[in-house]
Amino acid sequence: MAHSTSVPRIDFQPTLAAVPAPASMHPENAAKQGLPFGEMVVAIRAAVDQAMRTTLPGHYSPEIAERIANEMITRLGQRDDEPQTCPMYRDCKDREPGHTDHYNHGLRVTGEDGSTILDAGMAALSGSETAAAIYIRNEEFPDAASVHAKTAELRGFLDQVDAMADRVFEDSQAHS
């Protein structure tokens, strides 16, 4: 006599990456409907891993499967009314699904006339031989330690500018 085992089945309807989960399926509402988000995350990770092993064995790696699952989980965690975010870089400002060049050029200090005094940002470009980089004005930094060293120097510089301003305007007041 053949013994039949029942395996829980998750029907997966592929959607475009640009379409976030409806508000009714958002994590905060999923638990109300008997679908704990944590269990959904585990199921997604397992399904993606198994699907890649089975259908793309030549391209499979645990890292790639995890990245794809993370992108899916990120999309599911977004509400309809939230702007899309980049699944690779939290600071990336590109909102187009599937983009490969990542950037954020929005950190600026401007003068009274709106001209840029100092700017900073990030870039991670496809096809580049280097990884992501942070830049401050015209200098690029390849890692967080280099950025921290330069921003510490800038903080010291700004403290010196403040001290100079105090002295100059104090002296100016004394001579008026």
PDB file of all heavy atoms in Angstrom, residues 80-102:
ATOM      1  N   ASP A  80       2.127  49.699  -0.718  1.00  0.00           N
ATOM      2  CA  ASP A  80       1.796  50.322  -2.000  1.00  0.00           C
ATOM      3  C   ASP A  80       2.146  51.801  -1.997  1.00  0.00           C
ATOM      4  O   ASP A  80       2.535  52.356  -3.012  1.00  0.00           O
ATOM      5  CB  ASP A  80       0.292  50.215  -2.281  1.00  0.00           C
ATOM      6  CG  ASP A  80      -0.145  48.789  -2.526  1.00  0.00           C
ATOM      7  OD1 ASP A  80       0.707  47.897  -2.523  1.00  0.00           O
ATOM      8  OD2 ASP A  80      -1.350  48.589  -2.718  1.00  0.00           O
ATOM      9  N   ASP A  81       1.986  52.435  -0.851  1.00  0.00           N
ATOM     10  CA  ASP A  81       2.162  53.881  -0.786  1.00  0.00           C
ATOM     11  C   ASP A  81       3.579  54.299  -0.424  1.00  0.00           C
ATOM     12  O   ASP A  81       3.852  55.469  -0.246  1.00  0.00           O
ATOM     13  CB  ASP A  81       1.165  54.494   0.202  1.00  0.00           C
ATOM     14  CG  ASP A  81       1.249  53.853   1.586  1.00  0.00           C
ATOM     15  OD1 ASP A  81       1.968  52.842   1.754  1.00  0.00           O
ATOM     16  OD2 ASP A  81       0.579  54.352   2.497  1.00  0.00           O
ATOM     17  N   GLU A  82       4.509  53.355  -0.314  1.00  0.00           N
ATOM     18  CA  GLU A  82       5.896  53.677  -0.008  1.00  0.00           C
ATOM     19  C   GLU A  82       6.699  53.727  -1.308  1.00  0.00           C
ATOM     20  O   GLU A  82       6.468  52.931  -2.206  1.00  0.00           O
ATOM     21  CB  GLU A  82       6.528  52.613   0.899  1.00  0.00           C
ATOM     22  CG  GLU A  82       5.969  52.601   2.294  1.00  0.00           C
ATOM     23  CD  GLU A  82       6.552  51.467   3.127  1.00  0.00           C
ATOM     24  OE1 GLU A  82       7.127  50.515   2.554  1.00  0.00           O
ATOM     25  OE2 GLU A  82       6.418  51.521   4.345  1.00  0.00           O
ATOM     26  N   PRO A  83       7.646  54.646  -1.412  1.00  0.00           N
ATOM     27  CA  PRO A  83       8.478  54.659  -2.616  1.00  0.00           C
ATOM     28  C   PRO A  83       9.350  53.404  -2.663  1.00  0.00           C
ATOM     29  O   PRO A  83       9.698  52.843  -1.636  1.00  0.00           O
ATOM     30  CB  PRO A  83       9.332  55.917  -2.438  1.00  0.00           C
ATOM     31  CG  PRO A  83       9.312  56.207  -0.985  1.00  0.00           C
ATOM     32  CD  PRO A  83       8.016  55.657  -0.447  1.00  0.00           C
ATOM     33  N   GLN A  84       9.672  52.960  -3.849  1.00  0.00           N
ATOM     34  CA  GLN A  84      10.529  51.790  -4.019  1.00  0.00           C
ATOM     35  C   GLN A  84      11.927  52.099  -3.480  1.00  0.00           C
ATOM     36  O   GLN A  84      12.383  53.230  -3.556  1.00  0.00           O
ATOM     37  CB  GLN A  84      10.618  51.415  -5.500  1.00  0.00           C
ATOM     38  CG  GLN A  84       9.292  51.037  -6.098  1.00  0.00           C
ATOM     39  CD  GLN A  84       8.739  49.770  -5.492  1.00  0.00           C
ATOM     40  OE1 GLN A  84       9.411  48.763  -5.433  1.00  0.00           O
ATOM     41  NE2 GLN A  84       7.516  49.834  -5.022  1.00  0.00           N
ATOM     42  N   THR A  85      12.595  51.101  -2.970  1.00  0.00           N
ATOM     43  CA  THR A  85      13.968  51.269  -2.492  1.00  0.00           C
ATOM     44  C   THR A  85      14.871  50.287  -3.218  1.00  0.00           C
ATOM     45  O   THR A  85      14.420  49.272  -3.733  1.00  0.00           O
ATOM     46  CB  THR A  85      14.074  51.039  -0.974  1.00  0.00           C
ATOM     47  OG1 THR A  85      13.611  49.713  -0.685  1.00  0.00           O
ATOM     48  CG2 THR A  85      13.255  52.047  -0.203  1.00  0.00           C
ATOM     49  N   CYS A  86      16.134  50.592  -3.219  1.00  0.00           N
ATOM     50  CA  CYS A  86      17.122  49.727  -3.851  1.00  0.00           C
ATOM     51  C   CYS A  86      17.402  48.549  -2.918  1.00  0.00           C
ATOM     52  O   CYS A  86      17.692  48.751  -1.738  1.00  0.00           O
ATOM     53  CB  CYS A  86      18.401  50.520  -4.107  1.00  0.00           C
ATOM     54  SG  CYS A  86      19.751  49.513  -4.755  1.00  0.00           S
ATOM     55  N   PRO A  87      17.358  47.312  -3.426  1.00  0.00           N
ATOM     56  CA  PRO A  87      17.616  46.166  -2.568  1.00  0.00           C
ATOM     57  C   PRO A  87      19.102  45.960  -2.237  1.00  0.00           C
ATOM     58  O   PRO A  87      19.426  45.209  -1.342  1.00  0.00           O
ATOM     59  CB  PRO A  87      17.078  44.986  -3.368  1.00  0.00           C
ATOM     60  CG  PRO A  87      17.136  45.436  -4.782  1.00  0.00           C
ATOM     61  CD  PRO A  87      16.931  46.927  -4.757  1.00  0.00           C
ATOM     62  N   MET A  88      19.995  46.668  -2.942  1.00  0.00           N
ATOM     63  CA  MET A  88      21.430  46.478  -2.697  1.00  0.00           C
ATOM     64  C   MET A  88      22.030  47.533  -1.784  1.00  0.00           C
ATOM     65  O   MET A  88      22.854  47.221  -0.941  1.00  0.00           O
ATOM     66  CB  MET A  88      22.197  46.455  -4.018  1.00  0.00           C
ATOM     67  CG  MET A  88      21.974  45.182  -4.796  1.00  0.00           C
ATOM     68  SD  MET A  88      23.100  45.024  -6.180  1.00  0.00           S
ATOM     69  CE  MET A  88      24.679  44.928  -5.375  1.00  0.00           C
ATOM     70  N   TYR A  89      21.668  48.795  -1.983  1.00  0.00           N
ATOM     71  CA  TYR A  89      22.250  49.894  -1.216  1.00  0.00           C
ATOM     72  C   TYR A  89      21.135  50.759  -0.637  1.00  0.00           C
ATOM     73  O   TYR A  89      20.367  51.349  -1.387  1.00  0.00           O
ATOM     74  CB  TYR A  89      23.162  50.764  -2.100  1.00  0.00           C
ATOM     75  CG  TYR A  89      24.391  50.048  -2.592  1.00  0.00           C
ATOM     76  CD1 TYR A  89      24.422  49.463  -3.845  1.00  0.00           C
ATOM     77  CD2 TYR A  89      25.518  49.961  -1.781  1.00  0.00           C
ATOM     78  CE1 TYR A  89      25.549  48.801  -4.293  1.00  0.00           C
ATOM     79  CE2 TYR A  89      26.650  49.302  -2.229  1.00  0.00           C
ATOM     80  CZ  TYR A  89      26.661  48.722  -3.481  1.00  0.00           C
ATOM     81  OH  TYR A  89      27.779  48.070  -3.916  1.00  0.00           O
ATOM     82  N   ARG A  90      21.071  50.829   0.669  1.00  0.00           N
ATOM     83  CA  ARG A  90      20.029  51.623   1.321  1.00  0.00           C
ATOM     84  C   ARG A  90      20.102  53.092   0.922  1.00  0.00           C
ATOM     85  O   ARG A  90      19.087  53.777   0.889  1.00  0.00           O
ATOM     86  CB  ARG A  90      20.140  51.514   2.843  1.00  0.00           C
ATOM     87  CG  ARG A  90      19.764  50.135   3.358  1.00  0.00           C
ATOM     88  CD  ARG A  90      20.026  50.043   4.817  1.00  0.00           C
ATOM     89  NE  ARG A  90      21.476  49.908   4.998  1.00  0.00           N
ATOM     90  CZ  ARG A  90      22.055  49.662   6.154  1.00  0.00           C
ATOM     91  NH1 ARG A  90      21.347  49.554   7.239  1.00  0.00           N
ATOM     92  NH2 ARG A  90      23.355  49.544   6.229  1.00  0.00           N
ATOM     93  N   ASP A  91      21.277  53.589   0.608  1.00  0.00           N
ATOM     94  CA  ASP A  91      21.441  54.997   0.261  1.00  0.00           C
ATOM     95  C   ASP A  91      21.280  55.284  -1.226  1.00  0.00           C
ATOM     96  O   ASP A  91      21.359  56.435  -1.637  1.00  0.00           O
ATOM     97  CB  ASP A  91      22.804  55.505   0.750  1.00  0.00           C
ATOM     98  CG  ASP A  91      22.831  55.660   2.248  1.00  0.00           C
ATOM     99  OD1 ASP A  91      22.124  56.537   2.756  1.00  0.00           O
ATOM    100  OD2 ASP A  91      23.533  54.878   2.916  1.00  0.00           O
ATOM    101  N   CYS A  92      21.078  54.262  -2.036  1.00  0.00           N
ATOM    102  CA  CYS A  92      20.911  54.464  -3.479  1.00  0.00           C
ATOM    103  C   CYS A  92      19.604  55.206  -3.735  1.00  0.00           C
ATOM    104  O   CYS A  92      18.567  54.883  -3.176  1.00  0.00           O
ATOM    105  CB  CYS A  92      20.901  53.123  -4.203  1.00  0.00           C
ATOM    106  SG  CYS A  92      20.681  53.282  -5.988  1.00  0.00           S
ATOM    107  N   LYS A  93      19.665  56.209  -4.598  1.00  0.00           N
ATOM    108  CA  LYS A  93      18.488  57.018  -4.915  1.00  0.00           C
ATOM    109  C   LYS A  93      17.772  56.569  -6.187  1.00  0.00           C
ATOM    110  O   LYS A  93      16.723  57.107  -6.515  1.00  0.00           O
ATOM    111  CB  LYS A  93      18.871  58.503  -5.046  1.00  0.00           C
ATOM    112  CG  LYS A  93      19.346  59.108  -3.751  1.00  0.00           C
ATOM    113  CD  LYS A  93      18.264  59.035  -2.692  1.00  0.00           C
ATOM    114  CE  LYS A  93      18.721  59.676  -1.401  1.00  0.00           C
ATOM    115  NZ  LYS A  93      17.808  59.444  -0.310  1.00  0.00           N
ATOM    116  N   ASP A  94      18.324  55.592  -6.917  1.00  0.00           N
ATOM    117  CA  ASP A  94      17.667  55.107  -8.127  1.00  0.00           C
ATOM    118  C   ASP A  94      16.480  54.240  -7.717  1.00  0.00           C
ATOM    119  O   ASP A  94      16.623  53.301  -6.949  1.00  0.00           O
ATOM    120  CB  ASP A  94      18.645  54.296  -8.980  1.00  0.00           C
ATOM    121  CG  ASP A  94      18.127  54.033 -10.377  1.00  0.00           C
ATOM    122  OD1 ASP A  94      16.901  54.024 -10.586  1.00  0.00           O
ATOM    123  OD2 ASP A  94      18.963  53.819 -11.277  1.00  0.00           O
ATOM    124  N   ARG A  95      15.304  54.547  -8.202  1.00  0.00           N
ATOM    125  CA  ARG A  95      14.080  53.835  -7.832  1.00  0.00           C
ATOM    126  C   ARG A  95      13.580  52.899  -8.936  1.00  0.00           C
ATOM    127  O   ARG A  95      12.558  52.262  -8.780  1.00  0.00           O
ATOM    128  CB  ARG A  95      12.961  54.842  -7.480  1.00  0.00           C
ATOM    129  CG  ARG A  95      13.303  55.735  -6.319  1.00  0.00           C
ATOM    130  CD  ARG A  95      13.410  54.907  -5.045  1.00  0.00           C
ATOM    131  NE  ARG A  95      13.659  55.726  -3.898  1.00  0.00           N
ATOM    132  CZ  ARG A  95      14.744  55.648  -3.150  1.00  0.00           C
ATOM    133  NH1 ARG A  95      15.688  54.799  -3.437  1.00  0.00           N
ATOM    134  NH2 ARG A  95      14.898  56.409  -2.096  1.00  0.00           N
ATOM    135  N   GLU A  96      14.295  52.835 -10.045  1.00  0.00           N
ATOM    136  CA  GLU A  96      13.879  51.958 -11.131  1.00  0.00           C
ATOM    137  C   GLU A  96      14.192  50.511 -10.771  1.00  0.00           C
ATOM    138  O   GLU A  96      15.310  50.209 -10.350  1.00  0.00           O
ATOM    139  CB  GLU A  96      14.612  52.324 -12.428  1.00  0.00           C
ATOM    140  CG  GLU A  96      14.164  53.635 -13.017  1.00  0.00           C
ATOM    141  CD  GLU A  96      12.706  53.610 -13.433  1.00  0.00           C
ATOM    142  OE1 GLU A  96      12.265  52.621 -14.045  1.00  0.00           O
ATOM    143  OE2 GLU A  96      12.000  54.584 -13.126  1.00  0.00           O
ATOM    144  N   PRO A  97      13.249  49.591 -10.949  1.00  0.00           N
ATOM    145  CA  PRO A  97      13.524  48.180 -10.660  1.00  0.00           C
ATOM    146  C   PRO A  97      14.612  47.639 -11.580  1.00  0.00           C
ATOM    147  O   PRO A  97      14.648  47.968 -12.756  1.00  0.00           O
ATOM    148  CB  PRO A  97      12.194  47.482 -10.926  1.00  0.00           C
ATOM    149  CG  PRO A  97      11.210  48.532 -11.257  1.00  0.00           C
ATOM    150  CD  PRO A  97      11.903  49.835 -11.394  1.00  0.00           C
ATOM    151  N   GLY A  98      15.493  46.819 -11.031  1.00  0.00           N
ATOM    152  CA  GLY A  98      16.527  46.163 -11.814  1.00  0.00           C
ATOM    153  C   GLY A  98      17.695  47.037 -12.204  1.00  0.00           C
ATOM    154  O   GLY A  98      18.527  46.629 -13.012  1.00  0.00           O
ATOM    155  N   HIS A  99      17.823  48.243 -11.637  1.00  0.00           N
ATOM    156  CA  HIS A  99      18.939  49.106 -12.026  1.00  0.00           C
ATOM    157  C   HIS A  99      20.265  48.487 -11.576  1.00  0.00           C
ATOM    158  O   HIS A  99      20.304  47.715 -10.621  1.00  0.00           O
ATOM    159  CB  HIS A  99      18.769  50.515 -11.450  1.00  0.00           C
ATOM    160  CG  HIS A  99      18.781  50.577  -9.961  1.00  0.00           C
ATOM    161  ND1 HIS A  99      17.660  50.384  -9.187  1.00  0.00           N
ATOM    162  CD2 HIS A  99      19.783  50.812  -9.093  1.00  0.00           C
ATOM    163  CE1 HIS A  99      17.979  50.501  -7.912  1.00  0.00           C
ATOM    164  NE2 HIS A  99      19.265  50.751  -7.830  1.00  0.00           N
ATOM    165  N   THR A 100      21.326  48.808 -12.289  1.00  0.00           N
ATOM    166  CA  THR A 100      22.639  48.237 -11.972  1.00  0.00           C
ATOM    167  C   THR A 100      23.654  49.283 -11.548  1.00  0.00           C
ATOM    168  O   THR A 100      24.703  48.938 -11.032  1.00  0.00           O
ATOM    169  CB  THR A 100      23.199  47.450 -13.178  1.00  0.00           C
ATOM    170  OG1 THR A 100      23.248  48.321 -14.310  1.00  0.00           O
ATOM    171  CG2 THR A 100      22.324  46.240 -13.493  1.00  0.00           C
ATOM    172  N   ASP A 101      23.374  50.544 -11.799  1.00  0.00           N
ATOM    173  CA  ASP A 101      24.240  51.627 -11.331  1.00  0.00           C
ATOM    174  C   ASP A 101      23.569  52.255 -10.115  1.00  0.00           C
ATOM    175  O   ASP A 101      22.378  52.561 -10.147  1.00  0.00           O
ATOM    176  CB  ASP A 101      24.434  52.687 -12.421  1.00  0.00           C
ATOM    177  CG  ASP A 101      25.250  52.160 -13.588  1.00  0.00           C
ATOM    178  OD1 ASP A 101      26.074  51.246 -13.372  1.00  0.00           O
ATOM    179  OD2 ASP A 101      25.066  52.659 -14.708  1.00  0.00           O
ATOM    180  N   HIS A 102      24.328  52.419  -9.055  1.00  0.00           N
ATOM    181  CA  HIS A 102      23.787  52.916  -7.795  1.00  0.00           C
ATOM    182  C   HIS A 102      24.464  54.234  -7.451  1.00  0.00           C
ATOM    183  O   HIS A 102      25.673  54.386  -7.637  1.00  0.00           O
ATOM    184  CB  HIS A 102      24.036  51.893  -6.683  1.00  0.00           C
ATOM    185  CG  HIS A 102      23.542  50.531  -7.058  1.00  0.00           C
ATOM    186  ND1 HIS A 102      22.235  50.150  -6.894  1.00  0.00           N
ATOM    187  CD2 HIS A 102      24.172  49.474  -7.617  1.00  0.00           C
ATOM    188  CE1 HIS A 102      22.086  48.921  -7.329  1.00  0.00           C
ATOM    189  NE2 HIS A 102      23.254  48.482  -7.779  1.00  0.00           N
TER     190      HIS A 102
END
